[in-house]
Amino acid sequence: MTLHLLGGALWAIDGARLPGILLSIVSGVGLMKVVWVLATPLVRPLAYPLMLVPLLAVPLLAYNSVGAVVLQERGVTHSGGVTAVRPWRGKVTEYLCTVREDGPDEISDTVFCEHDDRPGERMRVVRDPGALVRPQLAESVADDQIQAVLAAAGSVFLLVVAVSATALGAAVRPKLVRAWEKSGGEPPNA
């Protein structure tokens, strides 16, 4: 579970996106394989659907929240004016605002913003001095922190389901093997 959560967190760090994605995939597949091997065939159909949503959601929630956590801990907030707003196309259309920091330095940050933001508006941006994560609007930092709690809760839920399914398999499997042996059949190799 920790590796799955860590994989999602690595997505947000510049230069670690691909290792994070691979870690999330490998840890998710590994967890599913463990449950497949250790749980009984009766428990698998119950455990897999319960695990599917958290397996997908935990890395995404960790990705969304890690930037906010880093910025909350060590970010520097500055005010500035929006100089440009442009659409950015992902799965849905989002918008990027270029915010020029107030002061003598001509420092600009590009942050995700809303479709109704316009040049000339004032915004507060939080920037990581070490440039580990992307800058964000100050309001987004506060909103994204709740996703860290949800990611941790999803990870705990995955752990509970996986441990319960495998424990049930460990408790039931010896009884099934004894029943098959008494009936003269061969126990399965699983």
Side-chain angles (χ1 to χ4, degrees), residues 47-170:
Y48 273 23
L50 288 174
M51 294 171 62
L52 185 61
V53 171
L55 277 172
L56 298 173
V58 165
L60 294 173
L61 290 167
Y63 163 70
N64 286 338
S65 66
V66 75
V69 170
V70 168
L71 292 173
Q72 181 69 31
E73 291 300 316
R74 66 181 204 178
V76 176
T77 304
H78 66 84
S79 295
V82 176
T83 59
V85 179
R86 67 181 193 279
W88 180 79
R89 305 221 186 267
K91 289 186 179 183
V92 296
T93 301
E94 295 182 284
Y95 294 86
L96 293 172
C97 287
T98 303
V99 181
R100 185 171 177 266
E101 183 176 343
D102 294 337
D105 299 331
E106 294 198 16
I107 298 173
S108 294
D109 290 314
T110 302
V111 295
F112 285 103
C113 57
E114 300 296 324
H115 71 281
D116 56 352
D117 290 322
R118 300 285 177 249
E121 282 186 52
R122 308 289 302 157
M123 291 186 172
R124 290 182 34 224
V125 175
V126 183
R127 179 186 316 123
D128 176 25
L132 185 63
V133 296
R134 296 180 56 121
Q136 292 183 24
L137 292 175
E139 301 81 34
S140 296
V141 171
D143 292 344
D144 287 349
Q145 285 184 324
I146 190 69
Q147 293 186 27
V149 174
L150 293 174
S155 207
V156 168
F157 180 79
L158 269 174
L159 181 64
V160 167
V161 170
V163 168
S164 298
T166 56
L168 186 59

